[in-house]
Amino acid sequence: MLPYATLEEAEAALGRSLTAAETLWFRYSARMPDYLVYYHNIIFLFVIFSLAPLPLALIELRLPAAVSPFKLQPKVRHSAASFFRCYKDVMRVFIFVVGPLQLTSYPTVKFVGIRTGLPLPSLWEAAAQLAVYFLVEDYGNYWIHRLMHGKWGYEKIHHIHHEFTAPIGFAAPYAHWAEVLLLGIPSFVGPAIAPCHMIIFWLWIALRQLEAIETHSGFDFPFTPTKFIPFYGGAEYHDYHHYVGGQSQSNFASVFTYCDYLYGTDKGYRYHKACLAKLKEEQWRNGDRNGEVNGFSYNKKSE
């Protein structure tokens, strides 16, 4: 709840006129308790989990030929029942784990200094904070994910996420409830280190979930904007991790690839890519310009 009764009071306190964004924020949140502002996260996560993977899922089910040139594992076809089962299980964890966690975590958010007041952050401040959050989360996620591939962690917890050897967008948060809690820790460390405005916190949570959905989409589109982000892994990078399966000791990174490179956990992937490139070149020489190797598509459109 903002400590100003009117726009004039807010402008007097800041010593300037409010920007259009700040005016909109004032009108929306001035009389709203801070905890209700924070609980918007629950709505955002529900909408993202439900709607973001849906368009590609519908296209894959209804018009598979339209996207098959970009499918990373073209031999695998998921049924509508498989998509629905995945979504249902994700929603079960959302209702019984993610939702209650969000409801009970407001005191911690308040304690670390995430604010709801004015002024709103500048674009440069927001960009810097988001960069820190992605880097911190990526590093923490790398090590938790890597530990999950130990014998105990995989057998007891992480094997559920790997039920989808050819991942789909809905499977991004498809995991054991304990894994959902553990992997949520690195997502909060960044905002705890560098506290932000609640709007940036919302944006951070939304972007991280959208990134995970894109990474698990099972498609490698050449026009994806994330391809222009330095060291970004993407769908093709993470798809290999699922393709190898439970014995995978490669490509643990959630967003970027630098940890796998620094710690040598991308060697299998790089060897695989080199073999694919060699086989692809041989097939092109033989006149077969559209095909697949070891289940991965390598047709001309997906290059």
Side-chain angles (χ1 to χ4, degrees), residues 1 33-35 38 105-117 188 195 198:
M1 184 177 295
D34 286 353
Y35 66 88
Y38 171 66
S105 59
Y106 171 71
T108 305
V109 168
K110 195 71 173 177
F111 174 77
V112 302
I114 295 176
R115 62 187 181 88
T116 61
F188 187 73
M198 188 66 75

Side-chain angles (χ1 to χ4, degrees), residues 15-291:
R16 60 171 174 81
S17 298
L18 299 184
T19 65
E22 287 172 337
T23 300
L24 184 64
W25 179 250
F26 178 89
R27 295 187 187 283
Y28 183 74
S29 66
R31 304 267 64 88
M32 186 181 296
D34 286 353
Y35 66 88
L36 287 183
V37 176
Y38 171 66
Y39 292 156
H40 283 52
N41 278 320
I42 301 174
I43 300 172
F44 295 152
L45 287 172
F46 175 78
V47 171
I48 290 169
F49 289 160
S50 299
L51 299 184
L54 188 58
L56 192 55
L58 292 176
I59 293 173
E60 185 176 358
L61 289 171
R62 299 295 184 180
L63 301 168
V67 290
S68 62
F70 310 105
K71 191 169 175 62
L72 289 162
Q73 298 189 48
K75 287 185 176 180
V76 180
R77 297 292 182 187
H78 293 288
S79 65
S82 179
F83 278 100
F84 180 73
R85 178 182 66 84
C86 180
Y87 176 73
K88 182 180 65 175
D89 289 345
V90 166
M91 283 298 105
R92 182 182 296 116
V93 174
F94 179 84
I95 292 170
F96 292 106
V97 178
V98 177
L101 178 64
Q102 293 287 316
L103 289 172
T104 57
S105 59
Y106 171 71
T108 305
V109 168
K110 195 71 173 177
F111 174 77
V112 302
I114 295 176
R115 62 187 181 88
T116 61
L118 296 173
L120 296 184
S122 67
L123 291 177
W124 286 111
E125 180 183 354
Q129 288 172 332
L130 289 172
V132 169
Y133 300 166
F134 269 108
L135 289 171
V136 169
E137 193 277 343
D138 188 67
Y139 190 80
N141 185 288
Y142 171 87
W143 285 107
I144 293 175
H145 189 188
R146 188 170 175 177
L147 289 172
M148 286 285 185
H149 275 265
K151 181 178 175 59
W152 187 90
Y154 188 84
E155 290 181 355
K156 301 296 184 182
I157 298 175
H158 192 53
H159 72 277
I160 293 176
H161 184 65
H162 275 269
E163 288 178 11
F164 285 87
T165 55
I168 56 176
F170 283 116
Y174 179 83
H176 191 285
W177 64 267
E179 180 171 349
V180 172
L181 293 178
L182 286 171
L183 291 180
I185 295 173
S187 296
F188 187 73
V189 172
I193 295 174
C196 60
H197 194 277
M198 188 66 75
I199 291 177
I200 305 305
F201 188 76
W202 290 347
L203 183 59
W204 155 237
I205 297 299
L207 289 175
R208 179 63 184 90
Q209 298 309 316
L210 289 171
E211 180 278 329
I213 290 169
E214 189 260 334
T215 299
H216 287 81
S217 68
F219 291 90
D220 184 29
F221 296 106
F223 47 79
T224 303
T226 51
K227 286 185 176 291
F228 298 99
I229 300 175
F231 307 108
Y232 184 79
E236 192 266 347
Y237 187 83
H238 192 68
D239 201 277
Y240 174 78
H241 178 81
H242 278 262
Y243 173 70
V244 175
Q247 301 305 312
S248 176
Q249 293 299 315
S250 185
N251 295 21
F252 295 116
S254 61
V255 182
F256 304 108
T257 60
Y258 70 94
C259 279
D260 282 311
Y261 180 80
L262 289 174
Y263 299 114
T265 48
D266 65 348
K267 293 179 180 178
Y269 170 73
R270 283 188 280 149
Y271 176 77
H272 177 77
K273 291 280 288 183
C275 289
L276 283 180
K278 183 177 179 180
L279 290 170
K280 174 181 169 181
E281 183 179 353
E282 291 176 357
Q283 298 241 5
W284 271 57
R285 287 174 183 170
N286 295 331
D288 182 5
R289 296 178 178 245
N290 291 281

